[in-house]
Amino acid sequence: MLDILQDLKSWFEVNGGFIHADVSLIHSVYGISAIASKNIPADSKIVSCPFDLVITKDTALNALSALLGSASTAILQKWTERQLISVYLSLHWIAGAEQSWQNIFKHFPYVKSLPSRDTLRTPLHFSPAELELLRGSNLYGATLDRQREWKAEWEECQNVVRTANEEWADLLTWDSYLTSATHLSSRAFPSTLISRNLALPADTPVEAAPVLLPGVDSLNHARAEPVSWIQSYLGSGPVPNAESNISVIHHNPIVAGTEVFNNYGPKPNSELILGYGFSLPNNPDDTIALKIGGPNGGRWEVGRDGRGAEPVWDFVLASLAEEGTEPTYDDHLDASEMLADMAQDLMQKLPDIPTSSPTPTGVREDIASMVRHYIEGQREILESLIEYGAAKEWHGDMPEDS
């Protein structure tokens, strides 16, 4: 296992990457962790990845077109970024070891260092008993939706690969695709980091494509960790020069023997669990999705302490008020009751929180802990929504005949 990380570091540095001399990569429960071997002063550059090593949809498209034949290019161009990159990662194991294809699959040392399937903890890797812990929550439905979507993608990919090589297609199993797609979801950064108009992860537009940054993704997440992204975009055109790179600067001093973290931006536990496979206790960025049906219905994200509840309240209150008039005292009371009923209904649907000890049969302890963090957060948000509605019952003068 140590050789894998040594190979990764050597390959990374030979190809222009940089890892701070006092940072060591070790295997951990998270796959890889970066540990300071000595005290590192504030504002140090920790890691830098050259653009040439970034795995993008174009990296994958070019490699797969070369492997599967030019006739497949038109079909491959219709694939999503996830399909292209996931199949590219998977085929390193399937065809990349063959001498004739090693020049195409240049990321093998990186792929070998990625966490094994049995260490992945997103819900698509849960056992049936573990998935059942989520039943009644938004995350349960999101997991089933993702599984259907990814399986359909995999079947399409496998059929295309089969036209080129039957054996490769047989080896491109659902487990293989799921593992690679999970590596992408848990390690991806937005493509805007390597574009001429740099945008940080927290400010990324929804349409930004996912990319993999070898070396950089060795740093695990810590909320609010003070880091900066520094881009060196060399060249005047839309395509940067080979020397272009993206670096992470750590602004706090790092004590020897402690882990060196990155900051992925504020993320609720629902997103951390579904995409990354971990959670944060008492996550202040937790949210719950609220949907209200009807012709004028909508969807809102509400956080702790009533954060984001104002538009929900406005919608409910407006739906009760007579058109063209100001909401009355009774409208406020009814809106408060309606909001409370909606929140109570959602709370009743939530599953019971797994006890800390002993864990339910067939459930791993770390999975139970993740689910506990998530469900506790959902309940606390709904309780704060009820309190918000009660506080908004009426802010004007109570009618005399009330």
Side-chain angles (χ1 to χ4, degrees):
M1 296 291 281
L2 186 59
D3 288 343
I4 290 176
L5 295 185
Q6 289 174 340
D7 289 346
L8 170 65
K9 192 170 186 292
S10 297
W11 165 82
F12 186 63
E13 292 176 342
V14 163
N15 286 279
F18 166 84
I19 298 177
H20 194 286
D22 296 327
V23 171
S24 300
L25 301 181
I26 66 167
H27 283 283
S28 69
V29 293
Y30 305 109
I32 297 177
S33 292
I35 305 297
S37 56
K38 296 180 181 178
N39 291 337
I40 299 176
D43 302 321
S44 293
K45 180 167 74 171
I46 301 300
V47 62
S48 179
C49 179
F51 283 13
D52 270 2
L53 287 186
V54 178
I55 301 177
T56 67
K57 64 175 183 179
D58 290 334
T59 305
L61 176 62
N62 293 336
L64 295 180
S65 295
L67 180 71
L68 303 179
S70 57
S72 67
T73 302
I75 298 174
L76 295 174
Q77 288 174 335
K78 298 178 182 178
W79 282 10
T80 65
E81 292 92 351
R82 181 170 51 246
Q83 286 176 295
L84 287 167
I85 295 176
S86 297
V87 173
Y88 174 68
L89 295 178
S90 294
L91 284 176
H92 274 77
W93 294 106
I94 295 170
E98 298 179 20
Q99 189 68 34
S100 55
W101 299 116
Q102 285 183 357
N103 62 320
I104 294 177
F105 296 98
K106 65 178 184 179
H107 288 92
F108 217 156
Y110 169 72
V111 173
K112 287 179 180 179
S113 74
L114 296 175
S116 60
R117 182 175 180 270
D118 64 310
T119 64
L120 300 176
R121 291 294 187 267
T122 63
L124 267 65
H125 298 271
F126 283 12
S127 69
E130 290 165 346
L131 185 57
E132 193 63 25
L133 294 178
L134 293 172
R135 184 182 290 274
S137 70
N138 290 342
L139 189 50
Y140 181 81
T143 299
L144 298 184
D145 289 344
R146 174 164 290 192
Q147 184 174 52
R148 282 191 291 267
E149 180 183 6
W150 286 14
K151 274 202 169 181
E153 291 176 353
W154 159 68
E155 290 171 353
E156 180 183 3
C157 295
Q158 191 183 48
N159 289 336
V160 172
V161 173
R162 194 175 300 282
T163 62
N165 189 297
E166 192 83 22
E167 182 181 357
W168 292 347
D170 289 340
L171 293 172
L172 183 62
T173 62
W174 163 239
D175 283 349
S176 171
Y177 184 84
L178 172 59
T179 299
S180 294
T182 304
H183 287 150
L184 179 61
S185 78
S186 62
R187 309 176 81 83
F189 293 95
S191 56
T192 48
L193 283 174
I194 59 170
S195 68
R196 177 172 290 281
N197 299 316
L198 171 67
L200 301 181
D203 305 318
T204 300
V206 174
E207 65 271 14
V211 300
L212 291 172
L213 303 178
V216 173
D217 64 9
S218 298
L219 305 182
N220 294 313
H221 170 65
R223 185 183 181 275
E225 194 76 8
V227 302
S228 291
W229 294 83
I230 304 297
Q231 183 197 81
S232 175
Y233 191 107
L234 304 176
S236 57
V239 179
N241 293 347
E243 294 81 11
S244 299
N245 60 71
I246 184 76
S247 303
V248 175
I249 309 298
H250 207 287
H251 295 302
N252 280 347
I254 306 168
V255 177
T258 62
E259 184 166 1
V260 185
F261 290 102
N262 194 358
N263 179 359
Y264 303 167
K267 296 183 183 298
N269 275 335
S270 55
E271 183 178 350
L272 291 176
I273 294 172
L274 184 62
Y276 298 83
F278 70 92
S279 63
L280 300 176
N282 303 309
N283 187 347
D285 301 313
D286 270 338
T287 61
I288 190 169
L290 298 179
K291 297 179 182 178
I292 300 179
N296 299 316
R299 181 184 184 278
W300 297 269
E301 292 280 340
V302 177
R304 293 178 183 269
D305 302 319
R307 188 180 71 253
E310 185 74 25
V312 183
W313 169 262
D314 290 344
F315 177 86
V316 172
L317 186 61
S319 69
L320 295 171
E322 189 173 333
E323 188 174 354
T325 66
E326 289 294 317
T328 65
Y329 171 73
D330 287 337
D331 291 335
H332 280 77
L333 291 179
D334 291 344
S336 177
E337 183 178 356
M338 185 175 179
L339 203 60
D341 288 345
M342 180 174 61
Q344 288 285 3
D345 182 58
L346 290 172
M347 287 177 68
Q348 289 173 4
K349 291 178 180 177
L350 286 174
D352 293 331
I353 299 173
T355 56
S356 56
S357 182
T359 55
T361 303
V363 175
R364 289 164 288 185
E365 190 170 337
D366 56 340
I367 301 294
S369 179
M370 282 198 301
V371 174
R372 190 180 311 117
H373 295 159
Y374 167 67
I375 299 300
E376 285 174 347
Q378 300 293 280
R379 289 192 185 281
E380 290 173 10
I381 292 171
L382 292 172
E383 288 168 355
S384 71
L385 186 62
I386 295 172
E387 294 173 0
Y388 181 91
K392 297 280 285 186
E393 278 187 358
W394 185 249
H395 288 294
D397 295 328
M398 185 179 297
E400 294 180 1
D401 59 349
S402 63

